Amino acid sequence: MKVTMARIRLYLKEGKTLSDGTNPIMLMVSFNGRKEVSTGFSCIPKYWDKKSECVKKGYPNYVMINHAIQQLKTEAIERRNEYERLGEPYTPNMILSPKKSLSAVRSD
């Protein structure tokens, strides 16, 4: 089944353990390939909720971490939706890179 719209999700990269014993939280875009970028946050695997894509209650600063990673995901979704609305072709790199609004860049 061919995907027509990029899939954006947060996940815990369990294959990589940082020096403090936590794993990095990644933002991934799947669309004609896969690109991922670190959110700058990490947590212990037992505190990661895969279904809700958030840190569970009980982890230090979980509210702040969840707010920050959800904000990153929301911004990526907004960039994807703007490309879709304009009918512009896009890549995972374009969705993950924070930049100016497309409407400001596009000249009509």
Side-chain angles (χ1 to χ4, degrees):
M1 180 167 93
K2 184 162 173 133
V3 179
T4 59
M5 186 180 248
R7 180 176 180 215
I8 300 169
R9 60 182 278 245
L10 292 163
Y11 77 98
L12 190 69
K13 190 168 190 174
E14 294 183 16
K16 180 173 179 140
T17 304
L18 303 176
S19 61
D20 61 356
T22 61
N23 298 76
I25 299 171
M26 308 293 285
L27 178 65
M28 179 183 69
V29 176
S30 297
F31 182 70
N32 297 334
R34 178 177 135 172
K35 178 72 176 173
E36 59 188 35
V37 66
S38 175
T39 60
F41 296 98
S42 61
C43 78
I44 298 171
K46 75 175 189 175
Y47 286 106
W48 181 251
D49 184 357
K50 288 181 183 180
K51 185 176 180 183
S52 299
E53 297 180 352
C54 66
V55 179
K56 294 178 184 175
K57 185 176 182 178
Y59 191 75
N61 297 323
Y62 77 96
V63 173
M64 188 259 325
I65 294 170
N66 284 338
H67 177 73
I69 63 176
Q70 289 301 326
Q71 183 66 31
L72 290 171
K73 183 177 178 180
T74 301
E75 290 170 1
I77 290 171
E78 288 173 357
R79 280 192 292 278
R80 177 201 62 194
N81 290 344
E82 194 169 350
Y83 281 115
E84 289 286 332
R85 183 181 58 82
L86 295 173
E88 300 278 332
Y90 58 89
T91 64
N93 279 337
M94 294 165 73
I95 293 173
L96 290 174
S97 64
K99 62 175 188 159
K100 296 181 262 181
S101 172
L102 283 178
S103 54
V105 174
R106 186 174 177 178
S107 60
D108 290 325

